[in-house]
Amino acid sequence: MSNPVLSVRGVTRTYETATGGLTVLKGVDLDVMPGEVVGLIGPSGSGKSSLLHAAGLLEHPTTGQILINGEPVGDLPERARTHLRLQRIGFVYQFHHLLPEFDARDNVALPLRIAGVNLAAARARAEEVLTALGLGDRMSHQPAQMSGGEQQRVAVARALANRPRLLLADEPTGNLDPTTSQTVFEALHKLVKETGVAALIATHNMELAGHMDRVFALKDGHLEERPAESHAY
């Protein structure tokens, strides 16, 4: 049996507010396996983004531990955390955040260039991922020349360009209509299964959540696993 890519152990997160401490995560435990798509549901303010930010080393949990491939990473110095994010973690957000002056290929190649990959190799990898996501004929288009669904698929390609072990997505289809949401999610789901990346996806879309391998609800700071209510693609 394979080992978890992401392990969350006893994670709490408390924010200081004008009225005192607000705790949104209360001892969360979670494992995400290679090639697994795990859904994270819950109302706004329930702590979904806080959990993703802790798992992605963007924030420090108040207490608890984050492990990537079995290695504790929460106490690493900031430079090491940044390197780890670049090498092993891909992020997709509700809004694509593509650079408007770059075409699709160079938007996807950007994290590879930041990692020191030469231009030709970075563009070749970008073309490979874009083709896998059905955008082989849109590589030279800038974001303004693409639909919302195409732009979001470019964002998915960018997140996977560095061949990360962990993909974290925060409402990746939340800004799209239902048909386009399904198209983007199917493309993401297919690539996760083909590459073996571990994916943790926060969503309000219950129909899409039904197509994930496991679904957890954040309620009162705790994770509760929910039964699958649909079928896999």
Side-chain angles (χ1 to χ4, degrees):
M1 183 176 177
S2 57
N3 296 316
V5 174
L6 170 69
S7 295
V8 177
R9 292 289 177 267
V11 163
T12 70
R13 186 68 169 98
T14 299
Y15 296 93
E16 293 302 323
T17 70
T19 57
L22 173 65
T23 301
V24 295
L25 301 176
K26 301 175 182 177
V28 170
D29 294 302
L30 178 67
D31 287 327
V32 185
M33 309 300 290
E36 185 178 34
V37 182
V38 174
L40 187 61
I41 61 173
S44 296
S46 61
K48 299 189 303 298
S49 294
S50 294
L51 180 54
L52 288 177
H53 290 167
L57 308 183
L58 295 170
E59 294 182 6
H60 290 271
T62 305
T63 62
Q65 187 61 270
I66 304 295
L67 299 95
I68 304 292
N69 291 329
E71 301 173 13
V73 295
D75 295 328
L76 292 174
E78 198 55 45
R79 184 169 182 175
R81 289 164 65 90
T82 299
H83 179 75
L84 195 61
R85 283 195 299 269
L86 186 61
Q87 295 295 332
R88 297 197 203 175
I89 306 173
F91 297 90
V92 183
Y93 298 99
Q94 180 175 349
F95 300 99
H96 52 75
H97 299 300
L98 300 177
L99 296 178
E101 67 273 21
F102 284 11
D103 62 20
R105 181 179 62 174
D106 282 342
N107 264 289
V108 176
L110 185 60
L112 291 157
R113 296 289 291 143
I114 293 172
V117 177
N118 69 58
L119 181 61
R123 284 178 166 173
R125 171 60 180 163
E127 291 172 5
E128 177 187 342
V129 185
L130 285 166
T131 298
L133 287 166
L135 294 172
D137 60 346
R138 308 293 279 169
M139 294 185 199
S140 62
H141 289 69
Q142 293 178 321
Q145 299 171 306
M146 293 183 285
S147 69
E150 288 171 337
Q151 292 176 56
Q152 197 65 341
R153 276 186 282 164
V154 173
V156 171
R158 179 182 58 192
L160 294 172
N162 268 342
R163 295 183 174 88
R165 300 302 306 133
L166 175 63
L167 177 68
L168 301 172
D170 197 352
E171 300 287 354
T173 63
N175 199 38
L176 306 173
D177 64 78
T179 300
T180 306
S181 293
Q182 182 170 331
T183 299
V184 171
F185 182 76
E186 285 180 6
L188 187 157
H189 189 278
K190 180 174 181 286
L191 213 51
V192 166
K193 294 302 181 181
E194 289 176 351
T195 62
V197 66
L200 179 60
I201 302 175
T203 183
H204 279 108
N205 189 321
M206 298 307 297
E207 183 177 349
L208 294 186
H211 292 286
M212 299 184 191
D213 298 312
R214 291 186 293 149
V215 178
F216 291 86
L218 260 173
K219 184 177 180 180
D220 297 325
H222 300 283
L223 278 184
E224 299 177 356
E225 186 165 4
R226 297 292 175 87
E229 296 180 357
S230 187
H231 57 276
Y233 289 114

